[in-house]
């Protein structure tokens, strides 16, 4: 087995430098970088300048969000800008080594150091960088990485894998590693990657939501609107394309809708059959139930989902449904919000589920159909999912933005209620076309809120009228 791993390592050391251009460009145009690469680049520089000892990073995220591209960008940066020898840069995929019956990160690195550098982790005397894709195929990835971290101050580790990576490590390993979740794209990231356009409006939108101050966000919004109009190759319907298909950078350069749907469905299928099948030991029967569960969730109008109702619909046990839903959440294909209120309400009320990006919901509905009565209603469903995704990603993956997201379980309640610890409730309603502000007004009074927010295409720019703030969907999606 050691020979198989060694042969694979040799293959990677010789081939990866040759395929970088192909993996990091399209039609001769180099891919732009995401925030996670820029963060890792700064940490690499700090390590090389002896300014930081942080050198164990984990990037969890669902398939298709660009994790492998980030690894190759780090590799290229070290090879071409820092002039590292390619033998000091190892990229491996544990999915590939798993097919050979071996996904032990510690053992792979020890073989690499022994055969290529004629040393051990403890005796290594120069920096080497190890990039490990699909690390979740090593069941003990966190501790194996920790062992290497502890044995050598010269090994810099970057691991990517299933979203479950951030759940699958013990406290001892947690003290060593740094987690950088890679999420589906918000509209800011979409514009950066696709058109090389950057904006820093996110913080201003966050301040708008939690303080009610709109001036800074209005100024940034006006600047963005003017700059997008003069942006080369920027189509006027780009945001609509993004809403339907823009969550994954892997679909950027695909022009045909049916191929985008097929590509997106392939991502979903791999999560179910490979990630859920191997990592969570989901058998074939439960994998089939998972497909049906996703189709059911995607086809429903947004609202609370009862596990009892779902188990009856799929003719399976509630225990099975609970397991499938929990596993889907661990992969972060879906996420839930709880009812706003006290502990008893959170326990008694069903949860409300959304997809990681409306691209997933749209892909499933394009493939299997949906129950929306009109195009306007369907667009409203996608918009609510987009808002939920923006809020969920912001609240769960960035320590700078600490708040909780709920849904309003009252009859005729608003779509979302967001709240900082010990802060007032802030009701948010989304809508297409004829949505009114009545629900938000009702929520403001009921929850003693200082103001409410309406995300609607009935406004072209951010407006504040008394205790109501109106935000265009396109602007909100920069959050």
């Amino acid at each position: 087995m050691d020979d198989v791993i060694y042969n694979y390592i040799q293959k990677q050391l010789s081939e990866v430098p040759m395929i970088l251009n192909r993996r990091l460009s399209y039609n001769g145009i180099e891919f732009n970088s995401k925030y996670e690469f820029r963060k890792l680049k700064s940490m690499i520089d700090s390590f090389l300048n002896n300014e930081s000892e942080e050198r164990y990073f984990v990037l969890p995220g669902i398939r298709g969000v660009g994790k492998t591209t980030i690894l190759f960008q780090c590799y290229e940066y070290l090879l071409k800008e820092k002039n590292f020898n390619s033998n000091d840069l190892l990229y491996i995929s544990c999915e590939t080594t798993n097919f050979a019956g071996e996904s032990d990160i510690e053992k792979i690195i020890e073989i690499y150091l022994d055969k290529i550098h004629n040393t051990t982790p403890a005796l290594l005397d120069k920096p080497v960088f190890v990039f490990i894709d699909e690390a979740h195929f090593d069941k003990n990835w966190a501790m194996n990485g920790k062992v290497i971290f502890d044995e050598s101050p010269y090994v810099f580790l970057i691991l990517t894998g299933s979203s479950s990576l951030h759940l699958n490590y013990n406290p001892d390993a947690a003290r060593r590693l740094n987690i950088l979740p890679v999420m589906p794209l918000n509209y800011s990231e979409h514009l950066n990657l696709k058109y090389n356009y950057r904006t820093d409006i996110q913080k201003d939108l966050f301040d708008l939501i939690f303080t009610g101050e709109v001036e800074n966000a209005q100024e940034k919004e006006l600047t963005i609107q003017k700059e997008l109009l003069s942006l080369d190759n920027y189509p006027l319907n780009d945001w609509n394309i993004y809403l339907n298909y823009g969550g994954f950078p892997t679909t950027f350069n695909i022009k045909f809708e049916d191929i985008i749907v097929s590509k997106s469905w392939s991502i979903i299928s791999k999560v179910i059959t490979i990630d859920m099948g191997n990592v969570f030991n989901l058998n074939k029967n439960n994998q089939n139930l998972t497909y049906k569960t996703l189709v059911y969730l995607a086809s429903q109008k947004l609202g609370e989902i009862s596990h009892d109702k779902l188990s009856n619909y799929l003719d399976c046990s509630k225990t099975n449904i609970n397991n499938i839903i929990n596993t889907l959440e661990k992969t972060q294909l879906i996420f839930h919000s709880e009812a706003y209120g006290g502990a008893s309400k959170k326990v008694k009320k069903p949860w409300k589920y959304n997809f990681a990006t409306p691209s997933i919901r749209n892909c499933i509905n394009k493939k299997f159909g949906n129950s929306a009565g009109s195009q306007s209603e369907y667009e409203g469903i996608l918009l609510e999912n987009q808002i939920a995704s923006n809020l969920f990603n912001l609240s769960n993956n960035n320590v700078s933005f600490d708040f909780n997201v709920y849904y309003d379980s009252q009859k005729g309640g608003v779509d979302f209620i967001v709240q900082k610890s010990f802060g007032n409730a802030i009701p948010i309603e989304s809508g297409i076309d004829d949505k009114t502000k009545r629900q938000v007004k009702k929520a403001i009074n009921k929850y003693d809120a200082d103001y409410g927010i309406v995300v609607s295409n009935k406004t072209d720019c951010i407006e504040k009228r008394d205790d109501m703030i109106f935000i265009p969907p396109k602007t909100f999606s920069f959050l």
Side-chain angles (χ1 to χ4, degrees):
M1 187 59 67
D2 286 7
D3 289 342
V4 173
I5 296 301
Y6 173 53
N7 290 337
Y8 174 66
I9 289 171
Q10 283 189 311
K11 176 177 177 291
Q12 294 300 96
L13 291 174
S14 63
E15 290 184 357
V16 172
M18 309 298 294
I19 65 172
L20 285 176
N21 288 338
R22 174 165 57 86
R23 295 301 299 262
L24 295 176
S25 65
Y26 180 79
N27 284 344
I29 300 175
E30 189 172 345
F31 295 152
N32 291 318
S33 62
K34 295 187 70 174
Y35 159 78
E36 292 83 8
F37 165 70
R38 297 191 294 274
K39 174 69 173 178
L40 288 169
K41 178 182 172 183
S42 69
M43 299 309 298
I44 288 170
D45 289 342
S46 295
F47 168 71
L48 293 176
N49 293 331
N50 296 314
E51 298 169 352
S52 171
E53 295 182 353
E54 302 297 336
R55 49 187 174 81
Y56 185 7
F57 293 87
V58 178
L59 281 64
I62 59 177
R63 290 174 179 266
V65 293
K67 302 187 301 296
T68 301
T69 298
I70 293 168
L71 289 188
F72 281 124
Q73 286 174 327
C74 290
Y75 188 110
E76 182 184 54
Y77 173 67
L78 287 159
L79 183 71
K80 296 182 179 180
E81 295 190 38
K82 291 299 182 178
N83 299 313
F84 267 72
N85 188 296
S86 60
N87 277 354
D88 297 332
L89 309 173
L90 176 65
Y91 166 85
I92 63 171
S93 169
C94 282
E95 184 171 10
T96 301
T97 60
N98 191 59
F99 293 143
E102 183 63 72
S103 288
D104 187 322
I105 289 170
E106 181 187 359
K107 185 173 183 180
I108 291 170
I109 294 175
E110 287 177 346
I111 292 173
Y112 162 63
L113 294 178
D114 178 34
K115 300 295 186 180
I116 304 301
H117 293 282
N118 194 31
T119 190
T120 65
L123 297 178
L124 182 68
D125 59 1
K126 67 175 183 177
V128 298
F129 290 79
V130 181
F131 308 99
I132 301 176
D133 226 347
E134 310 294 349
H136 53 270
F137 283 96
D138 178 354
K139 302 291 186 182
N140 298 310
W141 67 268
M143 286 305 296
N144 284 334
K146 172 195 172 296
V147 170
I148 296 296
F149 179 96
D150 288 343
E151 286 185 342
S152 173
Y154 292 105
V155 178
F156 194 109
L157 287 169
I158 306 178
L159 282 60
T160 77
S162 161
S163 296
S164 64
L165 282 180
H166 74 289
L167 303 172
N168 185 25
Y169 58 89
N170 62 34
D172 194 28
R175 289 194 291 271
R176 311 297 200 275
L177 57 86
N178 298 271
I179 297 195
L180 291 175
V182 184
M183 309 304 294
L185 305 179
N186 65 13
Y187 197 51
S188 293
E189 294 167 324
H190 167 89
L191 291 174
N192 171 38
L193 294 183
K194 195 167 186 179
Y195 303 104
N196 198 29
Y197 177 81
R198 291 187 187 178
T199 174
D200 58 352
I201 194 175
Q202 184 185 63
K203 185 179 184 303
D204 299 292
L205 288 171
F206 182 82
D207 291 341
L208 178 157
I209 291 171
F210 288 99
T211 69
E213 297 298 323
V214 302
E215 289 80 7
N216 290 339
Q218 286 175 323
E219 290 179 11
K220 291 277 179 67
E221 179 188 53
L222 181 60
T223 299
I224 291 169
Q225 289 174 344
K226 290 178 179 178
E227 290 176 345
L228 289 182
L229 286 175
S230 61
L231 195 65
D232 289 341
N233 302 317
Y234 179 78
L236 294 179
N237 67 338
D238 182 75
W239 186 80
N240 292 312
I241 296 171
Y242 162 76
L243 181 65
N244 285 271
Y245 303 109
F248 298 108
T250 51
T251 62
F252 274 179
N253 299 304
I254 302 175
K255 298 187 180 299
F256 300 103
E257 179 183 281
D258 59 334
I259 299 178
I260 294 175
V261 170
S262 176
K263 179 84 171 180
S264 300
W265 182 249
S266 175
I267 291 171
I268 296 167
S269 294
K270 286 181 178 178
V271 171
I272 295 172
T273 58
I274 299 177
D275 297 344
M276 294 176 69
N278 291 342
V279 178
F280 296 103
N281 300 316
L282 213 64
N283 61 37
K284 289 290 185 182
N285 181 59
N286 283 340
Q287 288 178 34
N288 290 332
L289 283 174
T290 302
Y291 282 114
K292 294 177 181 178
T293 299
L294 286 174
V295 172
Y296 177 86
L297 293 177
S299 65
Q300 298 302 299
K301 296 178 182 178
L302 295 175
E304 308 98 303
I305 298 293
S306 163
H307 288 202
D308 287 327
K309 182 179 178 181
L310 185 53
S311 66
N312 289 333
Y313 176 80
L314 296 177
D315 192 25
C316 65
S317 71
K318 185 179 176 182
T319 300
N320 245 7
I321 288 298
N322 290 341
N323 181 51
I324 287 169
I325 292 288
N326 289 339
T327 306
L328 281 170
E329 288 210 69
K330 288 177 181 177
T331 67
Q332 290 190 355
L333 273 178
I334 65 172
F335 60 90
H336 78 269
S337 54
E338 299 177 10
Y340 180 75
S344 61
K345 180 170 287 190
K346 289 184 176 69
V347 171
K348 292 178 182 178
K349 287 289 183 178
W351 290 350
K352 193 172 181 178
Y353 292 94
N354 267 295
F355 289 83
T357 163
S359 303
I360 297 175
R361 182 185 292 273
N362 185 53
C363 162
I364 297 171
N365 284 329
K366 290 292 184 183
K367 193 171 181 66
F368 297 100
N370 69 82
S371 60
S374 66
Q375 180 67 25
S376 176
E377 183 180 359
Y378 185 63
E379 289 173 357
I381 290 172
L382 293 183
L383 173 59
E384 185 174 335
N385 198 142
Q386 178 63 50
I387 294 170
S389 298
N390 284 130
L391 293 171
F392 173 81
N393 292 343
L394 200 64
S395 67
N396 285 273
N397 296 286
N398 192 319
V399 295
S400 301
F401 305 108
D402 182 22
F403 64 99
N404 293 308
V405 184
Y406 306 96
Y407 76 90
D408 187 355
S409 63
Q410 301 296 317
K411 185 176 181 180
V414 292
D415 294 325
F416 307 99
I417 293 176
V418 297
Q419 187 176 39
K420 282 188 172 183
S421 298
F422 308 111
N424 289 342
I426 301 168
I428 300 177
E429 179 70 8
S430 68
I432 296 291
D433 295 334
D434 296 327
K435 207 75 171 181
T436 69
K437 60 186 181 182
R438 187 180 311 148
Q439 287 160 297
V440 177
K441 281 286 189 184
K442 179 181 175 183
I444 289 173
N445 293 329
K446 178 173 181 58
Y447 301 115
D448 194 27
D450 295 326
Y451 52 89
I453 296 171
V454 177
V455 183
S456 170
N457 65 347
K458 300 299 284 185
T459 182
D460 295 324
C461 58
I462 297 169
E463 298 179 68
K464 187 170 186 179
R465 306 175 205 155
D466 299 323
D467 58 357
M468 302 282 292
I469 300 173
F470 297 84
I471 307 176
K474 181 176 178 178
T475 299
F476 192 94
S477 64
F478 281 92
L479 192 64

